[in-house]
Amino acid sequence: MTQTKPRKFMVNRRTFLNASTTAAGAIAVNSQLSERAVAQSVDDSPTFRRPKTIIPVPTPSPEFQHVAAGVPDTKMTREATGLLREFSTPVLINHSHRVFFWANEMGRQTGQKFDVELVFICAAFHDFGLLKKFSSATDRFEVDGANAVRQFLEHHGVPDTRIQTAWDAISLHTTPGIAQYKQLEVELLFNGVGLDVLGIGYETFPEDLRKKVVAQFPRIDFKQDIARAFLGGFEHKTQSTEGTCNEDICSHFIRNYKRSNFYEQIQNSPFQNS
């Protein structure tokens, strides 16, 4: 590959300001990445970063495409339910439905408009990355689920902005401190998962609805089974859990598991102190 000569830094202020409208990283002119970045103005629509290996999302059999009472009945929610019922497990089927009902009620309490259909689809897909059928070799399970929902929504011709909201909701559903600054649907999924898995907000959630949803979608051995479902989803790629809460699952179940240490990673950087 022919190397281009580095360009001299621009000192003219006007020239610099014009250059700043190109994508970040454009000064690294020797890299192929920067060459692509220079070609795209910030005014262009962003493009999705796609996985190298696409894991196909099938169309579920019609026999599984029936939504539960209280779930919006649309073509997409029926298909999302069908995928969940056909390819997931009982513990994740019930968990995903409860997450939707918790999130839906939380959204209702805000008094704001939100995309109920999308919240259900996100709830249905959020743990798909734990399933072997949708699991990649190296990505976090949350990202696998987010990539699956993107493929599903693109197939249905959903606008890019709506797809990105779904992708963010699923990819961030185990990451604290970010969802509340994203679209409301992202925060609702995060909070719905937090209530169902960790009990966050349990005392403030309407008791009658809580009992009704759990009766419809029972939590039989949920605390033990969801932990095992997590382990099964990333036992083959424990490196994907580094720096996340999922490392705690690895530490509990895997003998002699050595968790990552951020301090040690800093000290082991190949850079030398000045």
Side-chain angles (χ1 to χ4, degrees):
M1 180 179 296
T2 303
Q3 292 284 330
T4 58
K5 293 182 179 180
R7 298 174 184 172
K8 293 181 179 179
F9 288 111
M10 302 175 185
V11 294
N12 180 279
R13 184 172 183 272
R14 179 177 296 175
T15 304
F16 175 78
L17 290 175
N18 288 337
S20 70
T21 61
T22 59
I27 60 172
V29 295
N30 285 342
S31 72
Q32 289 183 342
L33 178 61
S34 70
E35 290 171 3
R36 290 194 295 269
V38 171
Q40 178 177 306
S41 165
V42 292
D43 293 329
D44 293 339
S45 297
T47 55
F48 296 143
R49 303 293 297 276
R50 300 183 183 278
K52 293 180 179 178
T53 303
I54 303 294
I55 301 173
V57 176
T59 299
S61 300
E63 62 187 287
F64 296 104
Q65 295 187 36
H66 53 91
V67 298
V71 173
D73 191 351
T74 69
K75 179 176 175 58
M76 288 200 299
T77 59
R78 288 193 295 272
E79 287 193 16
T81 302
L83 287 166
L84 190 60
R85 294 187 189 281
E86 185 170 0
F87 299 107
S88 193
T89 63
V91 64
L92 294 181
I93 292 170
N94 283 1
H95 166 58
S96 297
H97 277 88
R98 291 194 305 268
V99 165
F100 164 70
F101 285 111
W102 307 149
N104 186 53
E105 172 61 18
M106 291 173 185
R108 189 193 67 78
Q109 290 181 12
T110 68
Q112 301 178 47
K113 291 183 179 180
F114 64 97
D115 192 333
V116 181
E117 180 185 43
L118 196 67
V119 170
F120 175 78
I121 292 168
C122 289
F125 273 81
H126 84 279
D127 278 341
F128 271 23
L130 296 176
L131 305 171
K132 186 176 295 185
K133 186 173 186 64
F134 302 100
S135 177
S136 70
T138 58
D139 284 334
R140 288 176 55 171
F141 89 87
E142 303 95 327
V143 171
D144 287 338
N147 287 336
V149 85
R150 170 170 287 159
Q151 187 183 149
F152 174 81
L153 293 173
E154 285 181 333
H155 174 73
H156 286 280
V158 172
D160 287 353
T161 53
R162 199 174 177 217
I163 293 174
Q164 191 62 52
T165 296
W167 197 95
D168 288 350
I170 295 176
S171 65
L172 294 172
H173 82 265
T174 63
T175 303
I178 298 177
Q180 64 264 39
Y181 297 103
K182 302 289 287 184
Q183 291 86 344
L184 180 57
E185 293 83 2
V186 177
E187 183 180 17
L188 293 177
L189 183 72
F190 178 83
N191 289 341
V193 171
L195 173 57
D196 203 58
V197 177
L198 304 175
I200 298 173
Y202 179 87
E203 296 299 336
T204 61
F205 201 85
E207 182 179 5
D208 57 339
L209 180 57
R210 200 173 63 217
K211 290 181 177 179
K212 178 181 177 181
V213 171
V214 171
Q216 187 178 0
F217 299 100
R219 297 174 56 91
I220 302 170
D221 295 326
F222 176 74
K223 294 180 180 180
Q224 293 73 31
D225 288 349
I226 193 63
R228 295 188 188 98
F230 284 135
L231 178 67
F234 44 69
E235 189 173 14
H236 64 293
K237 51 179 178 180
T238 56
Q239 78 286 348
S240 70
T241 70
E242 291 185 3
T244 77
C245 60
N246 298 317
E247 275 197 315
D248 295 333
I249 298 292
C250 296
S251 295
H252 179 80
F253 284 104
I254 301 174
R255 184 184 296 273
N256 298 324
Y257 176 78
K258 188 179 186 306
R259 66 186 303 140
S260 61
N261 184 295
F262 183 51
Y263 178 81
E264 291 179 0
Q265 290 174 342
I266 295 172
Q267 303 311 309
N268 292 331
S269 164
F271 286 98
Q272 300 300 313
N273 288 336
S274 299

